[in-house]
Amino acid sequence: MTITLPYRSVRLQCLYARPLHNSLLQHSSLFALPQDAHSGLARLRLLHAPSRRQLSSPSATRINHAPSLNPPSSTLPPPLVLPVRSDSQSAPSYYFSLGRAYLSFYKTGAKAVYSNWQTARSIRSRLPENTSPEQALQQGVLSRGEWQLIRRSNQDIKKVPLFVLVFMICGEFTPLVVVFMSGVVPRTCKVPKQVLKDREKAEQRRRSSFREGTITSADERMVDVEALPPDQLSHVGRSLGLYTSLLDRLGVGLPTSLLRRRVREWDGYVTVDDAAIEQYGGVERMEMEEVRIALEERGVDVLGRGDAQLQRSLQAWLRERKRVGAVRMALVRPGVWEKGG
């Protein structure tokens, strides 16, 4: 049965609401069908998460106007369309179509991991010999978009073997299992609810760490990572998610030497990324999901905040980091430095 919508024709099956083509995801979560089309049709909705602002599928609505600044949408989770059970639909048929929707989502996400890896390998082949992607970025050989693609591809490809194993064992039940194993899921295979859950956990952990005390906000000297005492080093690690929260629950932490190395690597990463953001167009030209990711990487909460507020926060970070350094800012509540300048 074919129903003509204002923007294109869509073929729907009455009992099994199949996932729609990705391009339809830019529209409302409930499609307004013609009056004579409602009879016998299962209504469809998009699974985004309670807040459309935070968890709308970035790759569905995104038109990358600044590819040198923003990495491609293939580095983000693909759209997920779930069927809504109709009154006449049996439980087995509904759960079968639900499972098919998740299988389609994970298949698309896995293909993106492989495609990104191929693209990253092609980009790496252009680099001068003995030149790292970070060095190539600073030399102008790579753009920020290309550098972030390589970085995210490296992170995702390492998670594929264990994620595939979980998927082979759990099948359609994978979404119920990976909620508790978020660290093994590639970015491109995270459903919207899992993204939301990860952000909620990270922000709760950050708030808890700040309640335990940090340095005074009046001290504006730059901080050397090597000089950080263990308690401040531990706070930075928890606030930025540099080690698993499981260690917190067990009452232990990473060895100081390993944690110090991770903080040092984070400091170097954000310093390079900050310069690249400004070089390739600034915060104003960043896609909003990229703004959220950048803030999360810098230990700033994003849930419940509007786009303009998030952009101002990242602009404040770029300004203040030059003055006091990234490590100093990680030791002070964002509300303090966001008011600066």
Side-chain angles (χ1 to χ4, degrees):
M1 176 178 182
T2 301
I3 300 171
T4 302
L5 298 182
Y7 40 89
R8 63 179 61 186
S9 295
V10 183
R11 187 172 299 277
L12 298 176
Q13 186 173 347
C14 294
L15 291 180
Y16 298 99
R18 296 179 178 178
L20 298 181
H21 191 274
N22 291 352
S23 62
L24 295 181
L25 293 171
Q26 57 186 309
H27 298 283
S28 169
S29 61
L30 180 61
F31 295 103
L33 300 176
Q35 186 64 32
D36 60 340
H38 284 286
S39 177
L41 288 177
R43 295 164 60 204
L44 299 179
R45 67 178 178 182
L46 303 180
L47 179 68
H48 283 302
S51 172
R52 172 178 288 272
R53 185 182 299 275
Q54 275 77 29
L55 290 171
S56 59
S57 298
S59 58
T61 59
R62 175 176 171 183
I63 300 177
N64 195 345
H65 295 293
S68 61
L69 175 63
N70 302 296
S73 60
S74 61
T75 63
L76 302 174
L80 171 63
V81 182
L82 295 184
V84 174
R85 185 177 177 181
S86 66
D87 295 337
S88 60
Q89 189 175 16
S90 66
S93 69
Y94 167 70
Y95 287 112
F96 176 75
S97 60
L98 187 66
R100 284 173 60 91
Y102 277 112
L103 287 173
S104 176
F105 172 84
Y106 286 126
K107 182 179 179 180
T108 303
K111 285 183 177 179
V113 173
Y114 179 67
S115 175
N116 290 337
W117 176 76
Q118 287 185 311
T119 304
R121 186 174 62 173
S122 175
I123 294 173
R124 281 180 176 274
S125 68
R126 305 195 330 247
L127 302 185
E129 189 176 356
N130 299 323
T131 301
S132 69
E134 288 74 19
Q135 292 171 330
L137 174 67
Q138 294 172 311
Q139 294 169 4
V141 178
L142 292 183
S143 68
R144 180 183 183 269
E146 293 173 321
W147 176 59
Q148 284 288 354
L149 169 63
I150 293 175
R151 186 172 181 272
R152 294 179 188 179
S153 176
N154 288 342
Q155 294 171 343
D156 283 346
I157 203 71
K158 294 175 183 177
K159 299 178 181 180
V160 167
L162 186 54
F163 176 72
V164 170
L165 178 62
V166 172
F167 185 76
M168 290 176 63
I169 295 173
C170 301
E172 291 85 348
F173 296 99
T174 299
L176 303 178
V177 176
V178 295
V179 171
F180 306 100
M181 305 172 61
S182 188
V184 307
V185 183
R187 184 192 295 269
T188 60
C189 294
K190 289 189 175 183
V191 298
K193 282 189 175 181
Q194 186 175 7
V195 175
L196 174 62
K197 193 70 174 178
D198 288 348
R199 286 175 172 170
E200 288 175 341
K201 288 181 178 179
E203 295 187 6
Q204 177 58 43
R205 189 183 185 194
R206 189 175 301 124
R207 286 191 292 269
S208 176
S209 184
F210 270 113
R211 281 196 295 269
E212 295 178 7
T214 57
I215 64 174
T216 61
S217 59
D219 189 348
E220 296 185 344
R221 294 172 299 170
M222 286 197 178
V223 177
D224 183 358
V225 175
E226 307 304 324
L228 279 181
D231 59 335
Q232 293 181 358
L233 194 66
S234 179
H235 161 72
V236 173
R238 290 194 304 271
S239 179
L240 298 173
L242 299 182
Y243 64 90
T244 176
S245 60
L246 177 62
L247 296 180
D248 291 341
R249 293 192 291 271
L250 295 176
V252 297
L254 283 183
T256 300
S257 59
L258 178 57
L259 183 54
R260 197 178 301 277
R261 187 181 72 183
R262 291 190 179 183
V263 173
R264 190 187 310 116
E265 291 173 349
W266 168 82
D267 185 22
Y269 163 72
V270 296
T271 299
V272 172
D273 194 43
D274 286 355
I277 289 174
E278 294 183 319
Q279 178 182 353
Y280 287 98
V283 177
E284 297 81 0
R285 299 191 67 196
M286 292 179 70
E287 304 293 337
M288 281 312 305
E289 186 64 16
E290 293 300 325
V291 172
R292 295 186 187 96
I293 292 173
L295 287 172
E296 288 177 314
E297 292 175 337
R298 290 153 177 78
V300 183
D301 294 349
V302 300
L303 294 180
R305 307 179 69 190
D307 292 353
Q309 188 178 10
L310 294 173
Q311 289 176 322
R312 287 194 297 269
S313 290
L314 186 53
Q315 289 167 339
W317 168 278
L318 295 176
R319 179 184 63 245
E320 294 298 304
R321 187 201 57 78
K322 296 177 183 177
R323 190 169 64 89
V324 299
V327 177
R328 171 68 58 181
M329 294 176 70
L331 291 167
V332 180
R333 295 178 186 273
V336 175
W337 53 257
E338 285 178 340
K339 298 177 182 178

